[in-house]
């Protein structure tokens, strides 16, 4: 260990005491930083300074007419581009634009053709055509510029599309707005129409029934009309005879008025017979009081009373029958009250007979039966008294007026039959017209019945569609939608989706984003410079191979650490690159520099000039395979395969964590893998240096004799 430290101290003294060596060492310390700084500064904001990239614009749009107004979309594009500073727009003719692109005076050209406006507005026609913008690019001038100009061309197309969508949608929504207002006005009529459709659908069975009934009725009417027409002579004969008959009846009634008047005494005699039944009330009460003394005698008395009551029922039936015949002759039905009283009296007499029979059969008088019999007999006696008392004052005048009504009816019948006789000619004419009308009506109804299934199907389809529409949408909601703000709706369709960007680990500029890559690359380049200018060998045969390895390694590591400190601190404080965690950025830079130096030093210390070649090859592979510039996923398959095995992959990742914001699990993974590279390199240097150096000693001596390779 002492020899290793002594060798390290000796190297430092030689550097400090030899001004020429000191200058070279200082240059080697600073050069890698310059490499990183120049590249970072050159790529600081490449996409923010595109206004100097020339793009030739040619507008040949002839315009078009739209609803009587001239429209020229090409002119609108040119006006918009003149305000746009994203690229260096140059407005020239077609020939000049092509010449500029060919000779590199413009990276690309955009041609707006003559029919651009016409095709833009063809959306209003039956067969719309998409307009075309011709984009011409010269890709041999620069690899990146065509991508930038292509983005500019795409931006123009997008801008035109947005404005076109905004204009068209504004027009459409204006129409929708007017339609919504009209729909709102007509909403009551729409609802009434909908209800009418539903009512028609519900009434379809009844309509079918009505049509069928109408068809049956008109067939019946036709048959009836035929029968009436065929029987018209008979009807005329009946009418003539009816008039003659009424005349004869009138004479008969006038001749027999006195005979009809005899009905009143007959009815009065019947009422008088009923009056005799009023005393049955007291007789029944007397019988019931002495019933227990001699039941057989009492039953015989009750049987006699029932016989009288049955005769009264017969008298009532005869009287009511007579009165009903008289009452039928008058529309006034004046005798109905009298008939009803007699009918109720009959019911009471029958109830009284039934109770008497119950006593006779049971040979006992129950209290409830006695009470019911008292009530019925009292009620019957009261009704008989009322009928008898009112007969002369009320019922006799009613009977007489009823007979007079019969004469009036007879006279009316006579008049009707006379009028019928006189109307027979008119009836014949009406029947002829009816025959024609029935024939026409039948044809109409038959046609209606034939068309009704089609109408029914259409009504049901419309009703079904209305119900399906009601399930999916509310017309009030549709009206509210149609009446939305036109400008807001068109602006929404112009940009229907807003991108809300959330930068998880924000880095403000492209240069800061590329700092991890260029700084890592400069540290490897710094290690290669040291190996190229400083020797790894020591002219001391007394030292062992591992002592030479570690003694000279510490010298290289000291210079490498200084390279890292200048590079990382310069990034932050000279270029002002964005770094989220500055101390860790410096520390991670030192770690990377140590690992790179150990690896490159080991290559050269063990393999000599072959080791230098290995360092250069590994540098080239790492530039493309580490994912430092483009994502490794877009690189060819070979570089994706070697990516996990390159130290740059983890060194750049480590520097990015400090730049954007540290996730310690990523840092831990990167440090562990880089430590593996370090351990493997040291192991190779300690174990293989002696054997490989001895094996290649003759070859190295022979190479030096050429005078070309040291």
């Amino acid at each position: 260990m002492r020899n290793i430290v002594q060798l390290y101290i000796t190297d430092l003294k030689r550097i400090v005491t030899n001004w020429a060596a000191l200058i070279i060492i200082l240059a080697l310390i600073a050069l890698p930083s310059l490499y990183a700084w120049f590249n970072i500064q050159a790529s600081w904001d490449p996409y923010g300074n595109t206004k100097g990239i020339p793009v030739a614009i040619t507008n040949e749009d002839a315009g078009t007419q739209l609803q009587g107004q001239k429209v020229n979309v090409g002119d609108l594009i040119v006006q918009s581009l003149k305000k746009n500073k994203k690229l260096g727009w140059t407005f020239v003719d077609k020939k000049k634009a092509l010449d500029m692109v060919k000779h590199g005076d413009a990276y690309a050209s955009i041609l707006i053709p003559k029919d651009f406006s016409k095709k833009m507005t063809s959306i209003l026609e039956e067969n719309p055509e998409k307009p075309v913008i011709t984009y011409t690019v010269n890709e041999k001038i620069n690899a990146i510029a065509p991508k930038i100009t292509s983005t500019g061309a795409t931006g123009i197309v997008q801008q035109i599309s947005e404005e076109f969508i905004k204009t068209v949608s504004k027009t459409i929504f204006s129409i929708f707005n007017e339609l919504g207002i009209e729909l709102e006005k007509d909403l009551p009529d729409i609802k009434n129409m909908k209800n009418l459709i539903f009512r028609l659908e519900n009434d379809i069975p009844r309509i079918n029934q009505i049509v069928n009934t109408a068809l049956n009725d008109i067939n019946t009417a036709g048959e009836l009309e035929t029968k009436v027409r065929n029987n018209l002579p008979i009807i005329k004969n009946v009418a003539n005879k009816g008039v003659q008959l009424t005349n004869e009846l009138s004479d008969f009634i006038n001749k027999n008025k006195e005979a009809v008047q005899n009905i009143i005494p007959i009815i009065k005699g019947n009422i008088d017979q009923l009056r005799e039944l009023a005393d049955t009330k007291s007789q029944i009460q007397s019988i019931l009081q002495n019933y227990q003394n001699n039941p057989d005698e009492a039953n015989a008395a009750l049987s006699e009373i029932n016989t009288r009551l049955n005769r009264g029922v017969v008298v009532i039936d005869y009287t009511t029958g007579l009165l009903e015949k008289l009452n039928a002759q008058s529309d006034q039905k004046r005798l109905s009250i009298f008939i009803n009283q007699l009918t109720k009296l009959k019911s009471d007499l029958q109830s009284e007979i039934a109770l008497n029979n119950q006593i006779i059969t049971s040979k006992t008088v129950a209290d409830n039966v006695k009470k019911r019999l008292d009530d019925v007999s009292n009620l019957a006696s009261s009704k008989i008294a009322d009928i008898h008392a009112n007969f002369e004052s009320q019922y006799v005048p009613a009977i007489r007026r009823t007979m007079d009504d019969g004469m009036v009816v007879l006279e009316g019948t006579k008049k009707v039959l006379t009028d019928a006789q006189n109307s027979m000619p008119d009836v014949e004419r009406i029947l002829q017209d009816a025959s024609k009308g029935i024939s026409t009506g039948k044809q109409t109804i038959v046609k209606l019945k034939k068309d009704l299934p089609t109408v029914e199907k259409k009504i049901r389809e419309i009703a079904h569609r209305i119900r399906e529409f009601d399930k999916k949408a509310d017309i009030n909601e549709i009206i509210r939608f149609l009446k939305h703000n036109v400008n807001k709706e068109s602006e929404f369709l112009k940009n229907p989706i807003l991108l809300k960007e959330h930068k998880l680990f924000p880095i403000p500029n492209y240069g800061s984003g590329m700092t991890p890559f260029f700084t890592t690359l400069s540290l490897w380049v710094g290690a290669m410079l040291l190996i190229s200018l400083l020797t790894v060998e020591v002219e001391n045969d007394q030292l062992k191979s591992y002592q030479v390895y570690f003694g000279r390694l510490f010298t290289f590591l000291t210079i490498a650490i200084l390279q890292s400190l200048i590079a990382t601190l310069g990034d932050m404080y000279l270029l002002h690159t964005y770094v989220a965690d500055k101390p860790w950025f410096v520390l991670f830079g030192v770690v990377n520099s140590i690992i790179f130096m150990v690896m490159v030093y080991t290559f050269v210390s063990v393999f000599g000039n072959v080791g230098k070649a290995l360092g250069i090859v590994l540098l080239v592979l790492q530039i493309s395979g580490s994912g430092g510039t483009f994502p490794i996923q877009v690189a060819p398959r070979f570089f994706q395969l070697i990516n996990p095995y390159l130290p740059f992959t983890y060194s750049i990742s480590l520097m990015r964590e400090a730049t954007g914001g540290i996730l310690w699990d990523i840092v831990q993974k990167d440090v562990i893998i880089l430590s593996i590279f370090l351990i493997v390199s040291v192991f190779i240097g300690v174990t293989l240096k002696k054997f490989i150096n001895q094996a290649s000693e003759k070859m190295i001596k022979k190479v030096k004799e050429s005078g070309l390779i040291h």
Side-chain angles (χ1 to χ4, degrees):
M1 184 66 184
R2 187 180 63 181
N3 291 333
I4 295 173
V5 174
Q6 184 63 41
L7 178 58
Y8 172 63
I9 293 173
T10 301
D11 285 344
L12 294 180
K13 286 180 179 179
R14 289 174 179 174
I15 294 171
V16 173
T17 57
N18 189 323
W19 62 270
L22 180 61
I23 292 174
I24 292 174
I25 295 300
L26 292 176
L28 291 174
I29 293 172
L31 279 176
S33 301
L34 296 177
Y35 177 83
W37 296 342
F38 286 136
N39 279 286
I40 292 171
Q41 188 64 39
S43 59
W44 190 257
D45 190 15
Y47 299 106
N49 296 307
T50 58
K51 61 184 178 180
I53 298 178
V55 177
I57 303 294
T58 302
N59 177 26
E60 294 185 343
D61 190 7
T64 187
Q65 290 286 329
L66 181 62
Q67 295 182 349
Q69 295 184 352
K70 185 172 179 59
V71 177
N72 192 306
V73 182
D75 290 345
L76 297 176
I77 296 172
V78 170
Q79 293 174 13
S80 175
L81 292 179
K82 287 181 178 179
K83 300 175 183 178
N84 187 319
K85 304 301 181 183
K86 292 182 178 180
L87 292 171
W89 311 109
T90 304
F91 303 95
V92 294
D93 58 36
K94 182 178 180 180
K95 182 179 179 182
K96 178 66 174 176
L98 186 59
D99 187 67
M100 290 177 66
V101 174
K102 285 182 178 179
H103 291 84
D105 297 325
Y107 286 98
S109 69
I110 295 175
L111 172 64
I112 304 172
K114 293 181 180 180
D115 58 356
F116 188 78
S117 294
K118 184 177 181 181
K119 288 185 177 179
M120 277 289 290
T121 56
S122 66
I123 190 174
L124 303 176
E125 300 174 1
E126 184 177 356
N127 297 309
E129 294 184 70
K130 291 185 179 182
V132 177
I133 288 180
T134 303
Y135 170 68
T136 305
V137 62
N138 186 346
E139 295 192 345
K140 74 177 182 180
I141 303 175
N142 185 278
I144 300 299
K147 308 303 179 186
I148 298 175
T149 56
S150 177
T151 302
T154 304
I156 294 173
V157 173
Q158 181 180 357
Q159 182 182 5
I160 296 169
S161 299
E162 288 177 356
E163 291 301 322
F164 179 73
I165 291 171
K166 180 179 179 181
T167 303
V168 172
S169 60
K170 187 173 182 179
T171 302
I172 292 172
F173 279 116
S174 297
I175 296 172
F176 281 177
N177 189 270
E178 294 175 4
L179 180 59
I181 295 172
E182 292 300 321
L183 274 177
E184 188 174 34
K185 291 179 182 177
D186 295 336
L187 187 59
D189 294 336
I190 293 172
K191 289 183 177 179
N192 290 335
M193 180 62 69
K194 183 173 73 172
N195 294 332
L196 176 61
I197 293 294
F198 290 153
R199 284 202 300 272
L200 280 174
E201 183 187 29
N202 294 331
D203 291 342
I204 282 174
R206 194 160 62 89
I207 292 171
N208 281 318
Q209 183 181 0
I210 291 171
V211 170
N212 292 330
T213 302
L215 186 59
N216 293 333
D217 289 347
I218 203 164
N219 288 331
T220 304
E223 295 173 359
L224 182 62
E225 181 272 333
T226 302
K227 290 180 180 179
V228 171
R229 192 153 32 86
N230 293 335
N231 295 323
L232 190 59
I234 300 173
I235 296 172
K236 289 170 67 176
N237 187 38
V238 170
N240 292 333
K241 290 183 177 181
V243 173
Q244 182 180 353
L245 178 61
T246 53
N247 290 331
E248 293 174 356
L249 284 173
S250 180
D251 293 340
F252 176 79
I253 290 175
N254 288 329
K255 291 177 181 179
N256 294 281
K257 267 188 176 180
E258 294 180 0
V260 175
Q261 293 295 332
N262 293 330
I263 294 175
I264 294 175
I266 294 172
I267 296 174
K268 187 176 185 307
N270 293 337
I271 298 303
D272 289 338
Q273 290 183 38
L274 293 175
R275 186 182 180 190
E276 295 176 359
L277 297 176
D279 61 352
T280 59
K281 169 186 174 183
S282 58
Q283 294 176 3
I284 291 172
Q285 290 176 347
S286 176
I287 292 169
L288 294 179
Q289 288 176 356
N290 300 314
Y291 189 86
Q292 298 299 332
N293 297 329
N294 192 347
D296 294 335
E297 184 179 345
N299 285 340
L302 288 175
S303 296
E304 184 180 352
I305 289 173
N306 279 351
T307 300
R308 293 171 58 194
L309 291 173
N310 281 322
R311 285 200 298 270
V313 170
V314 173
V315 169
I316 290 173
D317 287 340
Y318 175 78
T319 304
T320 53
L322 187 60
L323 292 173
E324 285 174 350
K325 291 178 181 179
L326 291 173
N327 201 38
Q329 302 299 318
S330 173
D331 293 336
Q332 302 297 322
K333 308 299 180 186
R334 293 184 177 91
L335 301 180
S336 297
I337 296 174
F338 191 15
I339 294 170
N340 289 337
Q341 283 186 330
L342 290 173
T343 303
K344 292 178 180 178
L345 176 59
K346 174 184 174 182
S347 176
D348 292 339
L349 294 179
Q350 289 174 335
S351 297
E352 195 172 350
I353 292 169
L355 291 171
N356 287 337
N357 287 331
Q358 184 176 349
I359 294 172
I360 293 169
T361 303
S362 63
K363 294 183 179 182
T364 181
V365 181
D367 291 340
N368 62 330
V369 174
K370 181 180 179 182
K371 184 177 185 309
R372 287 169 58 197
L373 189 56
D374 286 342
D375 292 341
V376 171
S377 60
N378 287 334
L379 189 60
S381 297
S382 176
K383 288 178 180 178
I384 291 171
D386 288 343
I387 292 171
H388 188 272
N390 294 327
F391 182 75
E392 292 292 342
S393 61
Q394 295 182 8
Y395 300 138
V396 171
I399 292 171
R400 287 174 177 167
R401 284 197 295 273
T402 297
M403 289 189 294
D404 292 338
D405 289 342
M407 288 299 298
V408 172
V409 171
L410 189 61
E411 290 296 328
T413 303
K414 179 181 177 181
K415 184 177 183 303
V416 169
L417 290 172
T418 303
D419 291 342
Q421 186 181 33
N422 296 331
S423 300
M424 282 300 155
D426 293 334
V427 171
E428 291 178 346
R429 179 177 52 81
I430 290 171
L431 286 174
Q432 291 177 354
D433 294 341
S435 178
K436 297 177 182 178
I438 289 171
S439 177
T440 304
K442 184 176 181 180
Q443 293 175 1
T444 304
I445 293 175
V446 169
K447 186 177 184 302
L448 176 61
K449 182 176 176 63
K450 181 180 178 181
D451 294 340
L452 198 58
T454 303
V455 175
E456 177 183 349
K457 182 180 178 182
K458 288 295 182 183
I459 290 175
R460 293 193 186 279
E461 285 180 357
I462 294 171
H464 176 71
R465 289 177 182 176
I466 291 174
R467 289 191 184 93
E468 290 298 316
F469 176 80
D470 287 343
K471 289 179 183 177
K472 297 176 181 177
D474 182 356
I475 191 169
N476 293 302
E477 292 294 330
I478 293 173
I479 291 173
R480 280 195 290 272
F481 168 74
L482 294 176
K483 291 177 65 182
H484 284 176
N485 186 285
V486 173
N487 291 326
K488 289 183 178 179
E489 295 287 350
S490 60
E491 189 65 33
F492 176 85
L493 282 184
K494 174 185 174 183
N495 291 298
I497 300 174
L498 296 178
L499 177 64
K500 184 177 181 180
E501 184 179 3
H502 177 62
K503 296 182 178 180
L504 194 58
F505 300 104
I507 297 176
N509 53 66
Y510 186 79
S512 297
M514 292 299 293
T515 296
F517 172 70
F518 285 124
T519 302
T520 301
L521 181 59
S522 70
L523 296 179
W524 188 278
V525 171
M528 292 299 298
L529 287 174
L530 287 177
I531 291 300
S532 298
L533 295 178
L534 302 182
T535 180
V536 298
E537 299 299 333
V538 177
E539 295 180 359
N540 188 342
D541 297 333
Q542 303 299 321
L543 296 176
K544 296 180 179 180
S545 62
Y546 76 89
Q547 292 174 340
V548 173
Y549 175 81
F550 282 111
R552 186 52 54 87
L553 175 60
F554 289 151
T555 302
F556 278 86
L557 287 177
T558 301
I559 299 172
I561 291 172
L562 293 175
Q563 287 177 335
S564 174
L565 291 174
I566 292 176
T568 54
L569 293 172
D571 290 342
M572 295 185 292
Y573 298 107
L574 290 179
L575 300 183
H576 302 288
T577 58
Y578 173 83
V579 175
D581 297 290
K582 291 180 172 60
W584 289 106
F585 183 77
V586 175
L587 179 59
F588 293 159
V590 171
V591 170
N592 284 333
S593 187
I594 290 172
I595 293 170
F596 294 165
M597 192 70 256
V598 171
M599 292 179 66
V600 174
Y601 174 83
T602 300
F603 291 158
V604 178
S605 178
V606 174
F607 302 105
N609 288 329
V610 175
K612 295 179 182 180
L614 287 175
I616 295 173
V617 170
L618 191 56
L619 172 63
V620 173
L621 291 176
Q622 291 187 120
I623 290 174
S624 300
S626 62
T629 52
F630 295 101
I632 191 61
Q633 290 79 6
V634 302
R637 180 65 177 166
F638 170 75
F639 294 105
Q640 294 185 39
L641 291 174
I642 66 173
N643 174 264
Y645 308 103
L646 301 175
F648 265 29
T649 300
Y650 308 99
S651 297
I652 295 172
S653 173
L654 197 63
M655 299 297 283
R656 282 174 175 167
E657 288 301 306
T659 302
I662 293 178
L663 292 178
W664 288 106
D665 56 331
I666 297 177
V667 170
Q668 182 179 7
K669 171 189 172 184
D670 294 337
V671 170
I672 290 173
I673 295 176
L674 288 173
S675 299
I676 293 173
F677 283 108
L678 176 65
I679 293 170
V680 170
S681 298
V682 172
F683 177 78
I684 292 172
V686 172
T687 59
L688 300 180
K689 177 176 173 58
K690 178 179 179 182
F691 302 105
I692 294 177
N693 286 169
Q694 290 176 353
S696 59
E697 184 176 358
K698 292 181 179 180
M699 181 179 176
I700 293 172
K701 183 177 180 182
K702 190 66 175 176
V703 168
K704 288 182 178 180
E705 290 177 358
S706 68
L708 298 174
I709 302 173
H710 64 81

